[in-house]
Amino acid sequence: MYPLIRFAKEMLKYRNAPALGPVDPHISTHICWPWDLDPWIELNNGRTLTLYDLGRIPLAMRSGLIPILKQKGWGITVAGNSTRYRRRIRVFNRFTMISRMIGWDHRFIYMDQSMWKGGECCNQVLIRSAVTSARGIVPPSEVIAALGHEADSPEMPEWVKAWIEADAVRPWPPELPEEAKRHLSG
């Protein structure tokens, strides 16, 4: 189930927070609740991705993106991600989430998010997102300009560039073995 109450709490908590520039970080603190757990009594990997919304959406609000989306009839979607899990977050652990936009290209906006216990990083996700309209993907330079900032992206880290290049050669749709194709519905 989507954490609607936590989402509402985050939006209320940060509604009057200072505005952020395009690459400024949004920092928030959260607790791992019993309903966030997997059978190994730690933060579930899928729930981790859902909880990252609790950082990205307030980041979008504080950067001024949400009013622009409403005004222009745009939407925003996750178009890809790569996640690393390194340390466990257990029930009732408090953790800090850092969410930030790190750059953009001609189609996508790239965000880096991480969860920390003390000075130790527990997991990190690289998110590729797209702002969409009825005509399709809105160029990120147009989105950034609508926010009142210079439309040129900062230089992205080499590891992000490498991920973009690697993902570009990944086949779509995925290649399936003949045995699997026989089991597709429809």
Side-chain angles (χ1 to χ4, degrees):
M1 173 184 274
Y2 194 80
L4 292 172
I5 293 171
R6 288 156 93 175
F7 172 72
K9 178 190 90 74
E10 291 301 304
M11 297 304 281
L12 283 171
K13 181 177 178 179
Y14 292 103
R15 73 186 179 279
N16 295 319
L20 295 174
V23 294
D24 292 341
H26 170 72
I27 301 165
S28 54
T29 303
H30 308 271
I31 296 173
C32 179
W33 295 107
W35 42 88
D36 297 328
L37 302 177
D38 64 16
W40 292 270
I41 323 252
E42 63 189 50
L43 180 59
N44 176 276
N45 63 306
R47 186 61 156 192
T48 299
L49 294 176
T50 299
L51 292 180
Y52 273 129
D53 279 354
L54 301 181
R56 270 194 317 279
I57 298 173
L59 172 67
M61 177 182 68
R62 292 183 63 197
S63 67
L65 180 61
I66 291 180
I68 298 291
L69 294 175
K70 289 179 183 178
Q71 173 191 354
K72 296 190 175 279
W74 292 345
I76 191 164
T77 187
V78 171
N81 69 65
S82 177
T83 310
R84 276 189 173 173
Y85 300 93
R86 292 295 184 262
R87 299 283 181 263
R88 292 182 168 133
I89 296 176
R90 300 222 181 246
V91 69
F92 303 123
N93 283 169
R94 184 176 300 272
F95 59 92
T96 300
M97 182 186 304
I98 300 173
S99 306
R100 65 191 181 102
M101 182 169 57
I102 52 178
W104 52 91
D105 59 21
H106 67 287
R107 291 186 72 197
F108 300 112
I109 296 169
Y110 298 89
M111 288 175 277
D112 175 34
Q113 292 185 273
S114 51
M115 292 181 184
W116 298 75
K117 285 191 319 184
E120 191 169 50
C121 187
C122 300
N123 56 65
Q124 177 201 30
V125 65
L126 171 63
I127 299 276
R128 174 178 55 213
S129 65
V131 173
T132 59
S133 72
R135 298 182 328 261
I137 292 177
V138 178
S141 59
E142 187 178 333
V143 176
I144 300 302
L147 290 170
H149 300 286
E150 188 174 319
D152 292 333
S153 174
E155 184 73 18
M156 285 193 276
E158 289 302 317
W159 64 273
V160 175
K161 293 178 191 175
W163 181 78
I164 293 167
E165 290 174 21
D167 203 58
V169 297
R170 183 177 171 185
W172 190 262
E175 297 169 355
L176 297 175
E178 289 303 317
E179 173 63 24
K181 289 179 184 178
R182 290 195 291 270
H183 296 282
L184 297 176
S185 59

